[in-house]
Amino acid sequence: MSRAGALVLAAVLLLALAGPAAAQVYRWVDERGVAHYTEGRDSVPERFRATAVAVPMRREPPAPAPAAGAPAGAQGAGPAGAKAGATGEATIKFTPGERIMVDAQLNGSTSLRLMLDTGADRTVISPRVIAAAGISLTRGTASGTMKGATGEAQVQAVPVESIEVGAARVSPLVVISHDIDQSGVDGLLGRDFLDKFTVTIDNSLGLVTLTPKKP
């Protein structure tokens, strides 16, 4: 298990739908050294605004419009508490002995790079990527404390429409908004996604295959 994957949520997170709009995300650190992320400088407590830093945003194309005749809300994140479903298969190439990196899509339009981590209970995605996908980091989310070997951080649980790895797709899903402090990595692909599939890791060939589990 990686150090990042060893992080454990210490709070129960009550979830609701995320709003569709996104604003500039700011990172600020409180007097205890705990990092926070929030939308808009006005949302940062006044005494911390001078040190708040704008988080760089990816420039991603907007999500495609629903096809003609599609029911309203077909592109939405699904009702809170809805059971995640898995479809499709995927093959992931990796170099034996190195971390398994996965190119994924958030809500079908925003690209991100995740580290496959079977020791992580939840999928973790950087706040800047979530905001770039047009998902609110404040409205409709729930907060909690995530503890790890290096301390603790305040995080949000954010409902998303889907995560896709090749043709393998889980929808809907609730992810944790947090930076894992790994260069070139946008987060972790955790067991909440992986457990929907039969995961086969072939170190001799450097291949991971994802096949949906039968109901």
Side-chain angles (χ1 to χ4, degrees):
M1 182 188 305
S2 69
R3 177 175 62 84
L7 296 172
V8 178
L9 282 178
V12 176
L13 304 174
L14 303 178
L15 310 170
L17 286 178
Q24 177 62 56
V25 176
Y26 286 84
R27 181 183 187 274
W28 55 277
V29 180
D30 65 21
E31 64 275 4
R32 298 177 300 160
V34 177
H36 303 259
Y37 293 86
T38 189
E39 289 180 354
R41 186 177 289 274
D42 291 343
S43 299
V44 179
E46 188 171 358
R47 65 186 184 279
F48 299 115
R49 286 178 191 169
T51 57
V53 178
V55 178
M57 301 288 290
R58 293 186 175 201
R59 301 300 181 186
E60 298 287 350
Q75 298 285 328
K83 186 176 180 180
T87 58
E89 300 182 359
T91 301
I92 303 160
K93 295 182 179 181
F94 71 97
T95 301
E98 296 185 4
R99 296 178 299 177
I100 300 175
M101 305 306 300
V102 177
D103 291 318
Q105 292 280 321
L106 176 61
N107 285 6
S109 63
T110 301
S111 299
L112 65 162
R113 192 161 176 78
L114 302 175
M115 180 169 63
L116 188 151
D117 195 333
T118 58
D121 291 333
R122 303 289 292 275
T123 293
V124 180
I125 297 178
S126 169
R128 71 178 184 277
V129 177
I130 293 174
I135 302 169
S136 174
L137 287 168
T138 55
R139 286 173 293 176
T141 67
S143 62
T145 301
M146 189 159 65
K147 293 184 178 180
T150 59
E152 65 180 41
Q154 195 73 17
V155 299
Q156 260 98 22
V158 181
V160 302
E161 177 187 338
S162 66
I163 293 180
E164 299 163 19
V165 176
R169 182 177 191 267
V170 171
S171 175
L173 195 66
V174 175
V175 303
I176 302 302
S177 171
H178 182 64
D179 270 322
I180 67 168
D181 197 23
Q182 295 270 353
S183 178
V185 182
D186 296 316
L188 303 173
L189 188 67
R191 291 203 306 269
D192 51 352
F193 181 97
L194 297 172
D195 283 353
K196 304 296 187 295
F197 299 88
T198 297
V199 181
T200 304
I201 301 177
D202 189 326
N203 282 298
S204 62
L205 296 177
L207 291 177
V208 177
T209 56
L210 305 177
T211 306
K213 290 181 178 178
K214 295 181 179 180

